[in-house]
Amino acid sequence: MTVGSSRFALDALRDGHQHGLEQMRRLEEVAAAAEEPGDGGLRWAFDFFHGDMERHFREEEQVLFPALARYIGWPGVLHAMMEEHRSLWKAIDALEKADNPTRTSNVARHIVWLLRSHIEKEDTVLLPLAERTLNANELVEVGRQMEAPDRRDP
């Protein structure tokens, strides 16, 4: 899919959601073990959170959400998505500070639940809303802005 396609931006976000779900399956395995994670701990998870996930959230918050807000305003679904982003960051902070295997496991399970729930809402509510609300030119512009170099790296 090229940036010139009106569906590029939404397809890119959906791809990011699939990657996030894959990472949550991996985190769920760690949480199920209820012990200190081996092999470098949770470094891979924090790399995902502070890399791909942070970039994905930034693309949504700085590009897609403002484009939709011109039509639907910030209260409602956009505000709820922003609040869920904040809740995820708080949970990630708690995971970084977890000081024992039980706490690590519990917080990891919470993050898995939060992110899965969040992705489901975006896939079933937010992205279909964007498809119905934004015209082809606006979707192309959203894709172009998401690909801008200043949005690609945290």
Side-chain angles (χ1 to χ4, degrees):
M1 190 80 26
T2 63
V3 174
S5 168
S6 63
R7 299 192 50 105
F8 168 79
L10 303 184
D11 288 342
L13 291 172
R14 284 184 181 99
D15 290 347
H17 291 167
Q18 288 307 306
H19 179 60
L21 291 172
E22 291 165 13
Q23 297 305 305
M24 291 306 94
R25 281 189 284 280
R26 192 171 169 193
L27 185 58
E28 190 172 43
E29 291 172 8
V30 170
E35 59 188 43
E36 281 300 323
D39 300 327
L42 291 172
R43 178 63 4 224
W44 63 268
F46 296 122
D47 288 346
F48 165 71
F49 296 139
H50 296 294
D52 293 342
M53 191 179 88
E54 183 176 341
R55 184 174 23 263
H56 182 94
F57 282 7
R58 191 171 53 248
E59 290 170 349
E60 291 176 340
E61 293 172 1
Q62 295 177 5
V63 181
L64 180 62
F65 293 0
L68 277 171
R70 288 192 303 268
Y71 294 97
I72 66 170
W74 284 98
V77 69
L78 297 177
H79 178 76
M81 295 295 104
M82 294 286 283
E83 286 301 313
E84 288 184 11
H85 287 181
R86 282 192 270 285
S87 292
L88 276 156
W89 287 122
K90 288 178 185 174
I92 291 163
D93 184 55
L95 184 62
E96 289 174 328
K97 294 176 181 172
D99 57 1
N100 65 65
T102 300
R103 177 84 174 132
T104 297
S105 178
N106 290 338
V107 175
R109 281 187 180 101
H110 181 64
I111 290 170
V112 168
W113 180 85
L114 280 174
L115 191 56
R116 283 181 175 160
S117 172
H118 179 74
I119 288 171
E120 181 180 350
K121 288 176 202 155
E122 287 191 350
D123 283 347
T124 61
V125 177
L126 182 72
L127 297 181
L129 176 65
E131 289 173 326
R132 290 189 311 271
T133 305
L134 302 175
N135 67 42
N137 290 334
E138 290 167 322
L139 288 169
V140 168
E141 180 59 19
V142 165
R144 189 192 65 71
Q145 287 182 33
M146 284 173 43
E147 284 296 306
D150 60 327
R151 299 226 197 276
R152 300 308 307 157
D153 295 312

Short mmCIF file of all heavy atoms in Angstrom, two decimals, residues 42-78:
data_model
loop_
_atom_site.label_atom_id
_atom_site.label_comp_id
_atom_site.label_asym_id
_atom_site.label_seq_id
_atom_site.Cartn_x
_atom_site.Cartn_y
_atom_site.Cartn_z
N LEU A 42 12.40 -7.96 30.77
CA LEU A 42 11.34 -7.43 29.92
C LEU A 42 11.86 -6.34 28.98
O LEU A 42 11.08 -5.54 28.48
CB LEU A 42 10.20 -6.89 30.77
CG LEU A 42 9.41 -7.93 31.54
CD1 LEU A 42 8.44 -7.27 32.51
CD2 LEU A 42 8.66 -8.84 30.58
N ARG A 43 13.17 -6.31 28.75
CA ARG A 43 13.74 -5.28 27.89
C ARG A 43 13.03 -5.21 26.55
O ARG A 43 12.73 -4.16 26.04
CB ARG A 43 15.25 -5.53 27.71
CG ARG A 43 15.96 -4.57 26.81
CD ARG A 43 16.04 -3.08 27.21
NE ARG A 43 15.53 -2.64 28.44
CZ ARG A 43 14.78 -1.52 28.62
NH1 ARG A 43 14.49 -0.74 27.64
NH2 ARG A 43 14.35 -1.18 29.80
N TRP A 44 12.73 -6.38 25.96
CA TRP A 44 12.03 -6.42 24.67
C TRP A 44 10.68 -5.71 24.76
O TRP A 44 10.27 -5.03 23.82
CB TRP A 44 11.85 -7.86 24.18
CG TRP A 44 10.99 -8.67 25.12
CD1 TRP A 44 11.41 -9.43 26.17
CD2 TRP A 44 9.57 -8.76 25.12
NE1 TRP A 44 10.33 -9.98 26.83
CE2 TRP A 44 9.19 -9.58 26.19
CE3 TRP A 44 8.57 -8.22 24.31
CZ2 TRP A 44 7.86 -9.89 26.48
CZ3 TRP A 44 7.24 -8.51 24.60
CH2 TRP A 44 6.90 -9.34 25.68
N ALA A 45 9.96 -5.90 25.89
CA ALA A 45 8.65 -5.26 26.06
C ALA A 45 8.80 -3.75 26.17
O ALA A 45 8.05 -2.99 25.53
CB ALA A 45 7.93 -5.82 27.28
N PHE A 46 9.78 -3.31 26.95
CA PHE A 46 9.98 -1.86 27.08
C PHE A 46 10.47 -1.25 25.77
O PHE A 46 10.10 -0.12 25.44
CB PHE A 46 10.93 -1.55 28.24
CG PHE A 46 10.36 -1.98 29.58
CD1 PHE A 46 11.05 -2.87 30.38
CD2 PHE A 46 9.13 -1.51 30.01
CE1 PHE A 46 10.53 -3.29 31.59
CE2 PHE A 46 8.60 -1.92 31.21
CZ PHE A 46 9.29 -2.82 32.02
N ASP A 47 11.25 -2.00 25.01
CA ASP A 47 11.65 -1.53 23.68
C ASP A 47 10.42 -1.35 22.80
O ASP A 47 10.31 -0.37 22.06
CB ASP A 47 12.62 -2.50 23.01
CG ASP A 47 14.01 -2.49 23.65
OD1 ASP A 47 14.31 -1.56 24.43
OD2 ASP A 47 14.78 -3.42 23.37
N PHE A 48 9.48 -2.29 22.86
CA PHE A 48 8.23 -2.17 22.11
C PHE A 48 7.41 -0.97 22.59
O PHE A 48 6.97 -0.14 21.79
CB PHE A 48 7.40 -3.45 22.22
CG PHE A 48 5.97 -3.27 21.80
CD1 PHE A 48 5.65 -3.08 20.46
CD2 PHE A 48 4.96 -3.25 22.73
CE1 PHE A 48 4.33 -2.88 20.06
CE2 PHE A 48 3.62 -3.06 22.34
CZ PHE A 48 3.31 -2.87 21.00
N PHE A 49 7.22 -0.86 23.91
CA PHE A 49 6.41 0.23 24.45
C PHE A 49 6.97 1.60 24.07
O PHE A 49 6.24 2.49 23.65
CB PHE A 49 6.30 0.15 25.98
CG PHE A 49 5.59 -1.07 26.49
CD1 PHE A 49 6.07 -1.74 27.60
CD2 PHE A 49 4.44 -1.56 25.87
CE1 PHE A 49 5.42 -2.87 28.10
CE2 PHE A 49 3.78 -2.68 26.35
CZ PHE A 49 4.27 -3.34 27.48
N HIS A 50 8.28 1.76 24.25
CA HIS A 50 8.91 3.07 24.04
C HIS A 50 9.37 3.29 22.59
O HIS A 50 9.92 4.34 22.29
CB HIS A 50 10.06 3.26 25.02
CG HIS A 50 9.59 3.29 26.44
ND1 HIS A 50 8.79 4.29 26.94
CD2 HIS A 50 9.77 2.41 27.45
CE1 HIS A 50 8.51 4.04 28.21
NE2 HIS A 50 9.09 2.90 28.55
N GLY A 51 9.13 2.31 21.75
CA GLY A 51 9.47 2.43 20.33
C GLY A 51 8.21 2.41 19.49
O GLY A 51 7.56 3.43 19.27
N ASP A 52 7.83 1.21 19.05
CA ASP A 52 6.69 1.06 18.14
C ASP A 52 5.39 1.60 18.72
O ASP A 52 4.63 2.29 18.03
CB ASP A 52 6.51 -0.40 17.74
CG ASP A 52 7.64 -0.93 16.89
OD1 ASP A 52 8.39 -0.12 16.31
OD2 ASP A 52 7.78 -2.17 16.80
N MET A 53 5.09 1.26 19.97
CA MET A 53 3.82 1.70 20.55
C MET A 53 3.78 3.21 20.73
O MET A 53 2.78 3.86 20.41
CB MET A 53 3.53 1.00 21.88
CG MET A 53 2.09 1.24 22.36
SD MET A 53 1.71 0.42 23.91
CE MET A 53 2.24 1.71 25.05
N GLU A 54 4.87 3.78 21.21
CA GLU A 54 4.93 5.23 21.39
C GLU A 54 4.75 5.95 20.05
O GLU A 54 4.00 6.93 19.94
CB GLU A 54 6.24 5.64 22.04
CG GLU A 54 6.34 7.11 22.33
CD GLU A 54 7.62 7.47 23.06
OE1 GLU A 54 8.27 6.59 23.65
OE2 GLU A 54 7.98 8.66 23.02
N ARG A 55 5.40 5.46 19.02
CA ARG A 55 5.29 6.04 17.68
C ARG A 55 3.84 5.92 17.18
O ARG A 55 3.28 6.87 16.63
CB ARG A 55 6.26 5.34 16.73
CG ARG A 55 6.33 5.91 15.34
CD ARG A 55 7.42 5.28 14.47
NE ARG A 55 7.88 3.95 14.83
CZ ARG A 55 8.96 3.66 15.57
NH1 ARG A 55 9.73 4.63 16.03
NH2 ARG A 55 9.29 2.42 15.84
N HIS A 56 3.23 4.77 17.38
CA HIS A 56 1.85 4.53 16.96
C HIS A 56 0.90 5.50 17.67
O HIS A 56 0.05 6.13 17.04
CB HIS A 56 1.48 3.08 17.28
CG HIS A 56 0.11 2.69 16.86
ND1 HIS A 56 -0.15 2.08 15.65
CD2 HIS A 56 -1.08 2.79 17.49
CE1 HIS A 56 -1.45 1.84 15.55
NE2 HIS A 56 -2.03 2.26 16.66
N PHE A 57 1.05 5.63 18.98
CA PHE A 57 0.21 6.56 19.74
C PHE A 57 0.41 7.99 19.24
O PHE A 57 -0.55 8.75 19.13
CB PHE A 57 0.53 6.49 21.23
CG PHE A 57 -0.06 5.31 21.95
CD1 PHE A 57 -0.71 4.28 21.28
CD2 PHE A 57 0.05 5.23 23.33
CE1 PHE A 57 -1.24 3.19 21.97
CE2 PHE A 57 -0.49 4.16 24.03
CZ PHE A 57 -1.14 3.13 23.36
N ARG A 58 1.66 8.36 18.97
CA ARG A 58 1.95 9.72 18.49
C ARG A 58 1.26 9.97 17.15
O ARG A 58 0.69 11.04 16.93
CB ARG A 58 3.47 9.92 18.39
CG ARG A 58 3.87 11.36 18.16
CD ARG A 58 5.39 11.59 18.28
NE ARG A 58 6.17 10.70 17.45
CZ ARG A 58 6.97 9.73 17.92
NH1 ARG A 58 7.08 9.53 19.21
NH2 ARG A 58 7.66 8.98 17.10
N GLU A 59 1.29 8.98 16.25
CA GLU A 59 0.62 9.13 14.96
C GLU A 59 -0.89 9.33 15.15
O GLU A 59 -1.50 10.16 14.49
CB GLU A 59 0.88 7.91 14.08
CG GLU A 59 2.32 7.84 13.60
CD GLU A 59 2.67 6.52 12.94
OE1 GLU A 59 1.87 5.55 13.02
OE2 GLU A 59 3.77 6.44 12.36
N GLU A 60 -1.45 8.56 16.06
CA GLU A 60 -2.89 8.72 16.32
C GLU A 60 -3.18 10.09 16.95
O GLU A 60 -4.07 10.80 16.49
CB GLU A 60 -3.38 7.62 17.27
CG GLU A 60 -3.40 6.25 16.64
CD GLU A 60 -3.78 5.15 17.60
OE1 GLU A 60 -3.68 5.33 18.84
OE2 GLU A 60 -4.18 4.09 17.11
N GLU A 61 -2.45 10.43 18.00
CA GLU A 61 -2.74 11.64 18.76
C GLU A 61 -2.44 12.92 17.99
O GLU A 61 -3.12 13.93 18.16
CB GLU A 61 -1.95 11.63 20.07
CG GLU A 61 -2.40 10.55 21.03
CD GLU A 61 -1.51 10.41 22.25
OE1 GLU A 61 -0.52 11.17 22.38
OE2 GLU A 61 -1.79 9.51 23.08
N GLN A 62 -1.40 12.91 17.16
CA GLN A 62 -0.99 14.13 16.46
C GLN A 62 -1.54 14.24 15.04
O GLN A 62 -1.53 15.33 14.48
CB GLN A 62 0.53 14.22 16.42
CG GLN A 62 1.15 14.38 17.78
CD GLN A 62 2.67 14.40 17.74
OE1 GLN A 62 3.29 14.37 16.68
NE2 GLN A 62 3.29 14.43 18.90
N VAL A 63 -2.02 13.14 14.48
CA VAL A 63 -2.46 13.18 13.09
C VAL A 63 -3.93 12.73 12.96
O VAL A 63 -4.78 13.51 12.55
CB VAL A 63 -1.55 12.32 12.18
CG1 VAL A 63 -2.02 12.39 10.74
CG2 VAL A 63 -0.09 12.77 12.28
N LEU A 64 -4.21 11.47 13.27
CA LEU A 64 -5.56 10.95 13.04
C LEU A 64 -6.60 11.63 13.93
O LEU A 64 -7.65 12.06 13.45
CB LEU A 64 -5.61 9.43 13.25
CG LEU A 64 -6.99 8.80 13.04
CD1 LEU A 64 -7.47 9.01 11.60
CD2 LEU A 64 -6.96 7.33 13.41
N PHE A 65 -6.33 11.71 15.23
CA PHE A 65 -7.33 12.29 16.14
C PHE A 65 -7.67 13.73 15.77
O PHE A 65 -8.85 14.07 15.70
CB PHE A 65 -6.86 12.20 17.59
CG PHE A 65 -6.76 10.80 18.16
CD1 PHE A 65 -7.06 9.65 17.42
CD2 PHE A 65 -6.33 10.62 19.46
CE1 PHE A 65 -6.95 8.38 17.96
CE2 PHE A 65 -6.22 9.35 20.02
CZ PHE A 65 -6.53 8.23 19.27
N PRO A 66 -6.68 14.60 15.51
CA PRO A 66 -7.04 15.97 15.10
C PRO A 66 -7.85 16.02 13.80
O PRO A 66 -8.75 16.84 13.67
CB PRO A 66 -5.69 16.67 14.95
CG PRO A 66 -4.76 15.91 15.85
CD PRO A 66 -5.23 14.48 15.74
N ALA A 67 -7.53 15.12 12.86
CA ALA A 67 -8.29 15.09 11.61
C ALA A 67 -9.75 14.75 11.89
O ALA A 67 -10.67 15.38 11.34
CB ALA A 67 -7.67 14.09 10.63
N LEU A 68 -9.98 13.78 12.75
CA LEU A 68 -11.35 13.41 13.11
C LEU A 68 -12.03 14.48 13.96
O LEU A 68 -13.22 14.72 13.83
CB LEU A 68 -11.36 12.08 13.86
CG LEU A 68 -11.33 10.83 13.02
CD1 LEU A 68 -11.11 9.60 13.89
CD2 LEU A 68 -12.62 10.69 12.23
N ALA A 69 -11.26 15.12 14.83
CA ALA A 69 -11.83 16.12 15.74
C ALA A 69 -12.45 17.29 14.98
O ALA A 69 -13.39 17.91 15.47
CB ALA A 69 -10.76 16.63 16.71
N ARG A 70 -11.95 17.57 13.78
CA ARG A 70 -12.55 18.65 12.97
C ARG A 70 -14.02 18.36 12.68
O ARG A 70 -14.81 19.27 12.46
CB ARG A 70 -11.77 18.84 11.67
CG ARG A 70 -10.41 19.48 11.86
CD ARG A 70 -9.79 19.93 10.54
NE ARG A 70 -9.63 18.87 9.56
CZ ARG A 70 -8.54 18.13 9.41
NH1 ARG A 70 -7.48 18.36 10.18
NH2 ARG A 70 -8.47 17.19 8.49
N TYR A 71 -14.39 17.09 12.68
CA TYR A 71 -15.76 16.70 12.38
C TYR A 71 -16.58 16.34 13.62
O TYR A 71 -17.76 16.64 13.69
CB TYR A 71 -15.79 15.50 11.42
CG TYR A 71 -15.26 15.84 10.06
CD1 TYR A 71 -13.94 15.56 9.72
CD2 TYR A 71 -16.06 16.45 9.10
CE1 TYR A 71 -13.44 15.87 8.46
CE2 TYR A 71 -15.57 16.77 7.85
CZ TYR A 71 -14.26 16.48 7.54
OH TYR A 71 -13.77 16.80 6.29
N ILE A 72 -15.95 15.63 14.56
CA ILE A 72 -16.70 15.10 15.68
C ILE A 72 -16.37 15.74 17.03
O ILE A 72 -17.00 15.43 18.02
CB ILE A 72 -16.54 13.56 15.79
CG1 ILE A 72 -15.10 13.18 16.14
CG2 ILE A 72 -17.00 12.89 14.51
CD1 ILE A 72 -14.91 11.71 16.50
N GLY A 73 -15.35 16.60 17.07
CA GLY A 73 -14.93 17.21 18.33
C GLY A 73 -14.13 16.22 19.18
O GLY A 73 -14.05 15.03 18.88
N TRP A 74 -13.55 16.74 20.24
CA TRP A 74 -12.71 15.91 21.12
C TRP A 74 -13.50 15.10 22.14
O TRP A 74 -13.09 13.99 22.48
CB TRP A 74 -11.66 16.77 21.81
CG TRP A 74 -10.55 17.13 20.87
CD1 TRP A 74 -10.43 18.30 20.18
CD2 TRP A 74 -9.45 16.31 20.47
NE1 TRP A 74 -9.31 18.26 19.37
CE2 TRP A 74 -8.69 17.06 19.54
CE3 TRP A 74 -9.03 15.04 20.80
CZ2 TRP A 74 -7.53 16.56 18.95
CZ3 TRP A 74 -7.88 14.54 20.22
CH2 TRP A 74 -7.14 15.30 19.31
N PRO A 75 -14.61 15.63 22.68
CA PRO A 75 -15.35 14.81 23.66
C PRO A 75 -15.85 13.52 23.01
O PRO A 75 -16.10 13.47 21.81
CB PRO A 75 -16.52 15.70 24.06
CG PRO A 75 -16.10 17.09 23.71
CD PRO A 75 -15.20 16.95 22.50
N GLY A 76 -15.98 12.51 23.80
CA GLY A 76 -16.46 11.23 23.27
C GLY A 76 -15.33 10.28 22.96
O GLY A 76 -14.41 10.11 23.75
N VAL A 77 -15.38 9.69 21.77
CA VAL A 77 -14.46 8.62 21.42
C VAL A 77 -13.00 9.07 21.43
O VAL A 77 -12.12 8.34 21.91
CB VAL A 77 -14.85 7.95 20.07
CG1 VAL A 77 -14.62 8.88 18.90
CG2 VAL A 77 -14.08 6.65 19.88
N LEU A 78 -12.70 10.26 20.93
CA LEU A 78 -11.30 10.70 20.89
C LEU A 78 -10.76 10.93 22.30
O LEU A 78 -9.62 10.54 22.61
CB LEU A 78 -11.16 11.96 20.04
CG LEU A 78 -11.52 11.78 18.56
CD1 LEU A 78 -11.42 13.11 17.82
CD2 LEU A 78 -10.66 10.71 17.92
#
